[in-house]
Amino acid sequence: MLFRSTKYMDMKLPSDFSPEERRERAMSLFRQGYNCCQSVVLTFADVLSEQVTVELLATIGSGFGGGMARMREVCGSFSGVVIMSGFISPATDPTNQDGRRANYALVQQFAEEFKKRNGGSIVCRELLGLAPAKIVEDPAPSARTEEYYKKRPCAEIIGNAAMIVAEYLVRNQK
């Protein structure tokens, strides 16, 4: 079994866990070539190691980069935050409306914080200052050059996303 339903309280934060370090870790993963969503979820792989593997996290996040496969829709790093909300506040039983409500409330809370830190949006094209979604981009990922990193705010946005989750985990640990 790759996944067992869990509550946040079952997650053990390492003794050296810090939101600032998690922010840097997410940014580093992005610079290593992971997409924005993968960079966020893989930042917490050690915390989730009893529930899922690193490979599964990378697989789950693989299609969310570039605002969902470079379609520039919901930011991949915010998608990573949403994935993390499922581990923090799982809504695995479709008959449990309280569980679903709690999960949705957490996602909405995370969205508000994400918007505050990243210019008021959770939409990739808006965060990047791109034209409205009339042109479909080539599905090939952009080359990760120094120029790419200079002109894109992605690493900062990814760091902010990871920090939002990390701060929540610190505030709510036992």
Side-chain angles (χ1 to χ4, degrees):
M1 176 191 278
L2 292 173
F3 175 79
R4 68 177 171 78
S5 181
T6 186
K7 296 287 186 210
Y8 162 73
M9 297 306 164
D10 293 330
M11 292 184 203
K12 300 285 187 223
L13 300 184
S15 60
D16 62 346
F17 187 93
S18 93
E20 295 78 14
E21 185 275 330
R22 295 300 162 135
R23 179 182 198 286
E24 294 302 317
R25 184 182 295 196
M27 293 168 70
S28 174
L29 287 164
F30 182 69
R31 288 186 186 105
Q32 290 172 43
Y34 288 102
N35 74 30
C36 34
C37 182
Q38 291 170 320
S39 298
V40 172
V41 296
L42 289 172
T43 294
F44 301 97
D46 60 328
V47 175
L48 300 173
S49 64
E50 291 184 22
Q51 289 81 24
V52 295
T53 65
V54 169
E55 183 179 10
L56 182 60
L57 288 173
T59 300
I60 289 168
S62 62
F64 291 94
M68 310 234 175
R70 293 178 48 91
M71 293 187 293
R72 307 300 179 200
E73 298 296 337
V74 174
C75 173
S77 63
F78 183 70
S79 294
V81 170
V82 174
I83 290 169
M84 288 303 301
S85 79
F87 289 105
I88 294 167
S89 180
T92 57
D93 178 351
T95 65
N96 181 347
Q97 294 303 306
D98 290 338
R100 186 163 296 173
R101 185 178 306 110
N103 176 267
Y104 289 177
L106 181 60
V107 171
Q108 290 177 8
Q109 175 186 336
F110 283 160
E112 285 308 307
E113 189 59 32
F114 186 92
K115 289 175 187 178
K116 283 181 197 171
R117 296 184 191 199
N118 295 301
S121 183
I122 62 168
V123 176
C124 177
R125 86 176 82 63
E126 293 172 3
L127 294 167
L128 298 180
L130 300 175
K134 294 182 180 172
I135 300 171
V136 176
E137 287 192 36
D138 184 327
S142 299
R144 299 283 184 89
T145 63
E146 284 304 312
E147 185 60 30
Y148 170 90
Y149 291 118
K150 285 179 188 175
K151 70 179 185 174
R152 293 281 174 103
C154 300
E156 287 294 319
I157 293 168
I158 290 161
N160 289 341
M163 197 162 182
I164 289 166
V165 173
E167 288 170 348
Y168 180 88
L169 292 173
V170 168
R171 277 192 316 270
N172 291 283
Q173 73 179 352
K174 277 188 169 184

